[in-house]
Amino acid sequence: DRDSTSMEVGGDRGNMVGGDRDSTSMEVGGDRGNMVGNSDMNDYSIWQLAMAAVKEGNLNLLRHVSEGCSTVPNYDLSFDHNSMDNSNTLTDHESLVDTVKISFSPSTRLVPPHLPPPPPPASHPVVLNKSILSQLDAQGNSLLTWAAGGGYLDICKYLVHTCAMDSAVLTGHRRKQQRAPIHWAARNGHKSIIQWLVEEQRVDINIGTDNGTTPLHFCIWQGHIECIKYCIETAGCNINQLNIYGCSASHWAGYNGQVEIMQYLFYHGLDYNVLNDNRRSALHKAAVKGHCEACVWLIQSLEDGGCGYTSVHMKPEKEGDYPYALAASAGHHDLAAYLYSIHIQYKVDAEE
C-alpha cells in the first residue's frame, strides 16, 4: 500500500511513529556529547541548548537562551538517537525523538541553582536571539514543532507570543511530510495545544499537511478519542475531508482498528463508502493490520449495529489483492480465513 494512511506518504516501512516513516525522526543536529558553555556559545550550540530546554519543557532555560542571556552554565549535551515515535503517544520528553540528555554539576536538575531566574515579563520588547529561533533540526522541525508535539503549552505560547513564531507554518525537509504544530499536537493527543491553536491562534482545524492529512486524521490514527471529539464536536472539522491520496477518516479508522472510534465517527456522519486512489476501503486497511473486530463491525449489517459493508467494499484493490489476501500476506491467518468465508458468502468473484 502506498497511500498516506501509513505515513511514509504511503506505504508502511518500519515501526517509527506506530508504523510509519514520517518526519518524526527529528534529529537535533546529530551531535553526541557536544560541550556547550559560556566560552563557546556559537549560534548552533545555543540552538542545541534551546532545543534541549523545549524537550525538557523548561521555559525558564528557554527564555535565558532565546533572550540572549550570557549567564548560561556549561552543559554536556548528549543525544539519544531514538525515534520520537517509538511510543504511541508523546507525554514527556523521554518519548521524543532524539531525547536530549543534559548533565551538569553540581545539581542534577536541568536548571542549576546558580542560574538566576529569567527576568519578569517586561513592558519593553525583549531582545531575542532570532538566529536560533529560525533554525530547524535535521528533519526540518522547529522549536515550536517540538513544543507542540511534546504538549508544552506554556512554551508554545512563549514561542508564538514573545518570539513571534508562526503557529500555522508547515515545516519538514521531506517532500509530502511537512506538518504544522497542530498536526504534531493531534498526532500525540495534546488536546490543550489543539484547542489553543484553534481558538486563540485561529489555526484552521482542517489544515492539511503538504499531503493533505488533517489533524482529525492524526487523532484517529493514534486513537485519541477526546481529541477526535474536540475536532468534530467543538471545532467543527470536515469529517469527510480527503488527503491527496483519496484517503478519508474511514481509512485512518480502519488502520487504527478501534471499533469504539469507528462507531463514533459513523454516528457523526463519516462516509465509510470511500475508496482511496488504490481502490482500498476501510476493510482493506483493517485487514492488513489484523484488526478482526474492526473487520467484523464493517461487514455487520446496519440492522445489527454494523457499518453494512457489501461486496463493493471487498473487491480487489489496485494491485489485485482482496481483503482476505492482504490479511493472509500480513500473517493474520485467522482473520484471512474469516474474510475468505465472507468473500465466498458475498460472491465477490461472481460480480467481477
Side-chain angles (χ1 to χ4, degrees):
D1 182 16
R2 297 298 297 177
D3 63 54
S4 81
T5 350
S6 44
M7 297 313 292
E8 189 183 61
V9 190
D12 221 27
R13 292 287 186 269
N15 204 20
M16 285 186 176
V17 189
D20 76 12
R21 299 289 293 185
D22 65 338
S23 66
T24 44
S25 50
M26 302 200 284
E27 294 185 46
V28 184
D31 280 6
R32 296 178 184 272
N34 202 15
M35 292 297 296
V36 180
N38 290 335
S39 61
D40 184 25
M41 293 295 284
N42 57 39
D43 283 348
Y44 178 68
S45 58
I46 295 173
W47 173 78
Q48 287 183 298
L49 191 55
M51 182 63 80
V54 171
K55 291 182 179 183
E56 292 279 350
N58 193 312
L59 179 57
N60 185 4
L61 179 58
L62 178 62
R63 287 187 63 191
H64 271 279
V65 176
S66 62
E67 294 174 21
C69 296
S70 60
T71 56
V72 180
N74 287 341
Y75 286 83
D76 178 11
L77 299 186
S78 59
F79 294 85
D80 179 8
H81 290 267
N82 294 317
S83 170
M84 177 177 179
D85 301 300
N86 285 341
S87 61
N88 287 333
T89 58
L90 298 182
T91 56
D92 55 46
H93 72 275
E94 291 181 355
S95 302
L96 290 172
V97 174
D98 286 29
T99 296
V100 176
K101 297 179 179 178
I102 303 180
S103 59
F104 46 82
S105 61
S107 173
T108 58
R109 294 178 297 160
L110 181 61
V111 179
H114 60 274
L115 182 61
S123 57
H124 60 278
V126 295
V127 178
L128 300 174
N129 189 332
K130 295 183 179 180
S131 64
I132 68 164
L133 296 173
S134 62
Q135 289 193 45
L136 304 175
D137 69 14
Q139 300 300 321
N141 301 290
S142 69
L143 294 174
L144 182 56
T145 296
W146 278 95
Y152 300 121
L153 181 57
D154 59 341
I155 292 181
C156 288
K157 289 182 176 180
Y158 172 76
L159 291 171
V160 171
H161 295 159
T162 302
C163 303
M165 294 189 74
D166 189 338
S167 60
V169 68
L170 300 180
T171 61
H173 291 326
R174 298 179 65 182
R175 188 173 65 89
K176 296 183 181 178
Q177 292 188 14
Q178 296 176 355
R179 302 180 184 178
I182 195 172
H183 298 121
W184 285 105
R187 183 241 178 269
N188 297 327
H190 299 306
K191 180 183 172 182
S192 63
I193 305 287
I194 301 171
Q195 185 173 2
W196 172 72
L197 288 167
V198 171
E199 297 179 13
E200 294 189 29
Q201 295 303 304
R202 302 302 186 210
V203 174
D204 184 359
I205 190 60
N206 295 310
I207 184 175
T209 65
D210 63 343
N211 66 26
T213 303
T214 70
L216 177 65
H217 295 159
F218 282 105
C219 294
I220 294 170
W221 173 41
Q222 291 298 308
H224 302 306
I225 184 63
E226 292 305 316
C227 293
I228 293 170
K229 290 179 178 179
Y230 174 80
C231 289
I232 294 172
E233 297 178 24
T234 303
C237 71
N238 178 1
I239 196 173
N240 287 302
Q241 187 165 326
L242 306 180
N243 65 18
I244 65 173
Y245 304 100
C247 290
S248 76
S250 68
H251 295 90
W252 294 92
Y255 194 82
N256 171 271
Q258 295 183 48
V259 175
E260 175 191 4
I261 290 176
M262 299 176 77
Q263 291 174 330
Y264 171 86
L265 296 169
F266 182 75
Y267 296 133
H268 281 79
L270 177 61
D271 182 5
Y272 275 86
N273 294 312
V274 176
L275 301 180
N276 66 16
D277 293 351
N278 285 339
R279 297 202 296 269
R280 288 190 174 191
S281 67
L283 183 64
H284 293 83
K285 287 293 187 181
V288 78
K289 298 302 293 184
H291 297 313
C292 184
E293 292 183 1
C295 290
V296 171
W297 179 80
L298 287 166
I299 295 169
Q300 197 171 27
S301 69
L302 294 172
E303 293 77 11
D304 293 330
C307 187
Y309 264 16
T310 67
S311 59
V312 173
H313 308 95
M314 305 175 194
K315 293 187 179 297
E317 41 91 272
K318 196 170 185 178
E319 295 182 2
D321 289 323
Y322 293 92
Y324 74 82
L326 292 171
S329 63
H332 309 301
H333 300 298
D334 290 343
L335 176 58
Y338 164 74
L339 290 173
Y340 184 71
S341 70
I342 296 297
H343 181 93
I344 298 300
Q345 178 184 337
Y346 281 68
K347 301 178 180 179
V348 178
D349 288 329
E351 299 182 10
E352 294 298 320

